[in-house]
């Protein structure tokens, strides 16, 4: 029979199960991951975008309110009234009551001269002329002007809001400096993460506010260039080998762009947790699959191995049974062909004996020799007859008797037959009977024949000095009685072990054994519903075990 | 060697000529009146000419088998006793024949003394049966 490679089978099965389970699992895990990643990123950018827009709206509102306030003041007061610094101071104080957005206020005439000023830089700014300042001209051109941050005459970063008023033939400008802290506060409000930031750049990518992460007014920001933003944008950007989420939006009242930045490590923290959880579950899943595959494959392979062994032993038994059938047929044929001539020889010899018994022949000088020769012929015929009759043991299909047998007693009786013979060759027959062996129903004389046969073989195997151990056991599970006969004889070489139940197989000298004893024993035990097995180690001994059903 | 005349008439049937002759002689020496036949057909003819007391009949023969011959013989003479000789596994057949009414069977090769005792037993039974009738 072809021997299966169980290791290879194990690996193949195990890997097949693992692959078939792992691939879908990984597929699901990866899809879920990327889906989740996509959704989360989208949500994050959306939130960031909204944050940027909210801040922009707040700043726009701030500017619009300032402009409105400024516009109202400019248009409800005359140039002459506002040129009076006492009056301007009063107005400035009123403006300050509701907000501290302003740093100073000034009225500039058509020629760029500071006509009145209220604020901390009085001595520095009172006498300056703005005629050539860009903002002065821009305000004159546009009517309303919000400047970028600039140093100006005071050499301090600041920005201004200016409105121009036409009065009669001339025009004048009301200008305020905005407290930078106000813009900064609006920008930075609710920025909680350590890596979060918000700042404003103008259209030349120059900082209009100070980012939290560092950088000063009018410097280039340490961030990507968003100065050309027109509509609100949000997304992941790499800058100097660091990936961050950015949202940028244009502030409508100025040429400024507001940028909000979030650190992915912080903003994606919930997602990271989800990711760890997913990785954990995926790995646990993988481990479960691998463990399951191993356990399942082990069980499967063991079952296959068991089935194979059963099949193998079944086919061994089948082969043996077929051998027996073939032998019975052959035995019948041989018996028929040999018996007739043998019968003739026997009768002729008998006749010769009769003739030799006559008186006159007895006087012949060769009489004794002739008589002995005829005796020898008869002996040899008797021997041949014995062989044939043994052979016929196969073909005899007698109904087995059904008797109640006490196996231990039967063994006692049977070993009793051989006691003398055993003693003579210095063999000790040891008995190890189990007490719970039940009474079985079977053919006593046939079982006895088998036991006798095996005992004889055991004694022959030992030759001189040794032990034959006869033991019994009861197997409750299978409801079988086990009789085991172990000898300390020369054992059976492994190469012969498979052949010992074969008919005519013998290792005894020619004429000593027919090679049928074990073969017949095998057939008998089979017929009686039992089985017989052999174990042997050359040089150590042999154990024959007979299993008989209880009923 | 005993030479007493027993007066028992025996018909010995076997296809093996040497066996037939050697056995017949031995039985003759022991005081039986032996006729031989080398086939079932020949034996049936002899049943009329020299009706035997006991028939020793081989089971395997070419032509009519022992069983067939036996059935015919019983039809010719229901009182005749038949001992079957069997050469092999046909013990089952021999048992079958025993049920049909043969006296006994012997496994070949036979021992002449065994045969002798069986013939005498068979003859005794025949005598008893004849008396009963």
């Amino acid at each position: 029979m072809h021997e299966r490679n169980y290791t290879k089978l194990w690996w193949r099965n195990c890997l097949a199960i693992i692959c078939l389970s792992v691939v879908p699992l990984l597929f699901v895990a990866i899809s879920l991951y990327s889906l989740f990643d996509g959704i989360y990123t989208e949500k994050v950018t959306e939130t960031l975008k909204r944050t940027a827009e909210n801040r922009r709206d707040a700043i726009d509102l701030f500017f619009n309110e300032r402009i409105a306030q400024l516009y109202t003041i400019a248009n409800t007061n005359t140039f002459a009234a506002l040129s009076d610094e006492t009056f301007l101071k009063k107005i400035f104080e009123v403006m300050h009551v509701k907000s501290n957005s302003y740093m100073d206020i000034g009225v500039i005439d058509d020629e760029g001269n500071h006509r009145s000023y209220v604020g901390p830089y009085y001595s520095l700014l009172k006498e300056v002329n703005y005629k050539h300042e860009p903002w002065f001209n821009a305000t004159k051109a546009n009517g309303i002007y919000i400047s970028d941050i600039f140093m100006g005459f005071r050499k301090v970063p600041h920005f201004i809001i200016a409105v121009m008023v036409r009065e009669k033939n001339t025009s004048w400008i009301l200008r305020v400096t905005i407290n930078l802290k106000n813009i900064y506060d609006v920008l930075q409000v609710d920025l909680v993460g350590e890596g979060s930031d918000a700042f404003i750049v103008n259209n030349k990518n120059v900082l209009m506010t100070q980012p939290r992460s560092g950088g000063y007014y009018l410097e280039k920001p340490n961030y990507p260039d968003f100065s050309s933003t027109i509509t609100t944008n949000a997304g992941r950007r790499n800058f100097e080998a660091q990936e961050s989420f950015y949202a940028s939006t244009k502030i409508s009242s100025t040429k400024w762009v507001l940028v909000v930045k979030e650190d992915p490590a912080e903003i994606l923290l919930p997602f990271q947790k989800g990711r760890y959880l997913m990785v954990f579950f995926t790995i646990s899943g993988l481990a479960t699959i691998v463990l399951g595959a191993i356990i399942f494959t082990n069980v499967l392979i063991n079952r296959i191995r068991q089935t194979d062994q059963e099949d193998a032993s079944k086919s061994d038994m089948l082969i043996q049974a077929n051998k027996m059938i073939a032998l019975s047929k052959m035995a019948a044929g041989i018996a028929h062909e040999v018996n007739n001539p043998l019968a003739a020889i026997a009768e002729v010899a008998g006749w010769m004996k009769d003739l030799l018994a006559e008186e006159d022949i007895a006087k012949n000088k060769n009489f004794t020799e002739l008589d002995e020769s005829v005796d020898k012929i008869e002996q040899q015929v008797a021997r041949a007859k014995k062989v044939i009759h043994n052979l016929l043991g196969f073909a005899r299909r007698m109904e087995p008797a059904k008797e109640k047998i006490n196996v231990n007693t039967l063994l006692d009786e049977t070993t009793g037959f051989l006691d003398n013979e055993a003693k003579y060759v210095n063999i000790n027959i040891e008995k190890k009977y189990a007490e719970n062996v039940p009474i079985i129903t079977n053919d006593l004389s046939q079982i006895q024949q088998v036991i006798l046969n095996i005992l004889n073989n055991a004694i022959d195997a030992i030759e001189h000095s040794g032990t034959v151990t006869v033991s019994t056991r009861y197997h409750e599970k299978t409801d079988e009685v086990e009789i085991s006969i172990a000898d300390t004889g020369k054992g059976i070489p492994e190469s012969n072990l498979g052949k010992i139940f074969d008919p005519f197989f013998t290792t005894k000298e020619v004429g000593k054994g027919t090679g049928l004893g074990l073969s017949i024993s095998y057939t008998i035990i089979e017929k009686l519903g039992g089985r017989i097995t052999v174990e042997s180690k050359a040089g150590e001994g042999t154990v024959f075990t007979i299993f008989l059903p209880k009923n | 060697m005993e030479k007493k005349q027993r007066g028992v008439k025996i018909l010995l049937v076997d296809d093996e000529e040497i066996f037939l002759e050697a056995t017949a002689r031995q039985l003759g020496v022991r005081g039986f009146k032996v006729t031989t036949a080398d086939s079932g057909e020949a034996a049936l003819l002899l049943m009329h000419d020299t009706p035997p007391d006991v028939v020793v009949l081989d089971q395997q023969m070419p032509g009519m088998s022992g069983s067939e011959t036996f059935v015919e013989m019983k039809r010719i003479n229901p009182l005749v006793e038949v001992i079957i000789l069997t050469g092999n596994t046909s013990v089952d057949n021999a048992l079958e024949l025993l049920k049909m009414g043969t006296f006994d069977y012997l496994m070949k090769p036979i021992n002449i003394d065994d045969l002798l005792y069986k013939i005498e037993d068979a003859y005794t039974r025949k005598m008893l049966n004849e008396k009963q009738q």
Side-chain angles (χ1 to χ4, degrees), chain A residues 27 129 131 145 150-151 164 169 185 190 194 226 245 247 274 281 348 356 372 417 429 434 448 515-518:
Chain A
F27 184 73
N129 187 292
K131 197 171 184 174
Y145 183 72
F150 67 110
M151 299 305 271
M164 187 188 72
N169 304 338
D185 285 348
D190 290 339
E194 272 183 33
F226 291 100
F245 282 97
F281 280 126
V348 172
L356 285 171
E372 279 172 8
F417 296 144
I429 298 179
Q448 192 166 43
L516 290 172
L518 282 176

Side-chain angles (χ1 to χ4, degrees), chain B residues 8 17 23 28-29 32 60 67 81 84 89 104 111 118:
Chain B
V8 185
E17 235 173 279
T23 313
V29 166
F32 295 102
Q60 279 91 28
S67 318
E81 292 295 344
I84 295 285
T89 55
D104 206 344
N111 182 305
K118 287 236 153 74

Side-chain angles (χ1 to χ4, degrees), chain B residues 98-114:
Chain B
L98 275 180
K99 282 181 198 159
M100 285 164 66
T102 60
F103 179 74
D104 206 344
Y105 72 92
L106 273 174
M107 292 278 282
K108 273 184 173 181
I110 54 165
N111 182 305
I112 197 70
D113 292 326
D114 289 347

Side-chain angles (χ1 to χ4, degrees), chain A residues 336 339-340 347 351 354 385, chain B residues 25-26 30 87 108-110:
Chain A
H336 177 71
N339 260 346
N340 279 331
E347 295 323 308
W351 175 235
D354 285 352
K385 186 178 167 178
Chain B
R25 281 184 186 175
Q26 288 181 85
R30 283 163 180 78
K108 273 184 173 181
I110 54 165

Side-chain angles (χ1 to χ4, degrees), chain A residues 128-389:
Chain A
V128 298
N129 187 292
Y130 292 111
K131 197 171 184 174
H132 301 292
E133 290 300 304
W135 70 264
F136 179 77
N137 294 315
T139 310
K140 284 194 86 172
N142 298 330
I144 295 169
Y145 183 72
I146 301 170
S147 77
D148 281 354
I149 301 276
F150 67 110
M151 299 305 271
F153 289 103
R154 63 187 80 173
K155 310 292 175 208
V156 169
H158 67 288
F159 79 97
I160 56 153
I161 300 175
V163 294
M164 187 188 72
V165 185
R166 292 189 189 283
E167 204 177 303
K168 293 168 192 166
N169 304 338
T170 176
S171 65
W172 53 277
I173 288 168
L174 181 65
R175 185 223 63 176
V176 287
T177 306
I178 300 296
N179 190 347
L180 290 177
K181 195 176 173 298
N182 283 62
I183 301 291
Y184 184 82
D185 285 348
V186 172
L187 268 184
Q188 303 291 334
V189 70
D190 290 339
L191 281 184
V192 277
E194 272 183 33
S196 314
D197 209 343
F199 58 92
I200 294 170
V201 288
N202 68 1
N203 57 351
K204 295 182 183 72
N205 196 29
V206 168
L207 280 173
M208 295 291 106
T209 62
Q210 278 182 291
R212 288 168 95 198
S213 65
Y216 196 64
Y217 298 106
L218 300 176
E219 287 177 352
K220 293 275 175 197
N222 193 23
Y223 289 115
D225 184 354
F226 291 100
S227 57
S228 53
T229 303
I230 294 164
T231 53
T232 312
N233 281 317
R236 234 187 261 229
R237 289 277 288 266
N238 264 315
F239 184 74
E240 289 178 356
Q242 210 183 342
E243 195 186 44
S244 301
F245 282 97
Y246 293 98
S248 61
T249 182
K250 195 168 181 308
I251 296 167
S252 36
S253 31
T254 63
K255 287 173 180 172
W256 297 355
V257 171
L258 187 149
V259 181
V260 180
K261 175 237 172 191
E262 286 285 1
D263 185 355
E266 286 166 6
I267 200 156
L268 293 180
L269 196 64
F271 174 66
Q272 289 292 10
K273 279 180 187 165
R275 184 155 71 174
Y276 291 142
L277 212 61
M278 188 176 275
V279 168
F280 171 74
F281 280 126
T282 307
I283 288 172
S284 325
L286 287 179
T288 312
I289 287 169
V290 170
L291 200 71
I294 288 172
I295 292 171
F296 175 75
T297 308
N298 274 347
V299 170
L300 189 78
I301 297 296
N302 279 339
R303 201 161 293 170
I304 290 175
R305 200 191 295 257
Q306 211 178 329
T307 314
D308 280 355
Q309 276 167 1
E310 278 166 16
D311 283 354
S313 73
K314 261 184 212 157
S315 91
D316 280 356
M317 277 163 73
L318 206 66
I319 289 168
Q320 191 64 23
N322 280 337
K323 268 186 201 162
M324 292 302 157
I325 290 166
L327 185 88
S328 328
K329 284 183 183 159
M330 203 178 77
I334 289 172
H336 177 71
E337 292 305 324
V338 174
N339 260 346
N340 279 331
L342 211 55
I345 292 167
E347 295 323 308
V348 172
W351 175 235
M352 282 168 77
K353 198 124 179 99
D354 285 352
L355 290 179
L356 285 171
E358 284 175 18
E359 281 171 48
D360 44 341
I361 297 174
K363 286 170 191 160
N364 189 298
K365 59 175 176 164
N366 289 331
F367 169 74
T368 322
E369 209 167 320
L370 279 168
D371 197 44
E372 279 172 8
S373 298
V374 175
D375 278 346
K376 277 177 192 163
I377 291 171
E378 284 190 325
Q379 280 166 20
Q380 293 308 309
V381 168
R383 191 179 142 196
K385 186 178 167 178
K386 206 173 133 195
V387 172
I388 297 288
H389 279 208

Side-chain angles (χ1 to χ4, degrees), chain A residues 524-535:
Chain A
I524 289 175
I525 295 297
E526 283 262 286
K527 218 186 290 177
L528 299 183
R531 63 210 151 82
I532 181 164
T533 61
V534 62
E535 278 171 63

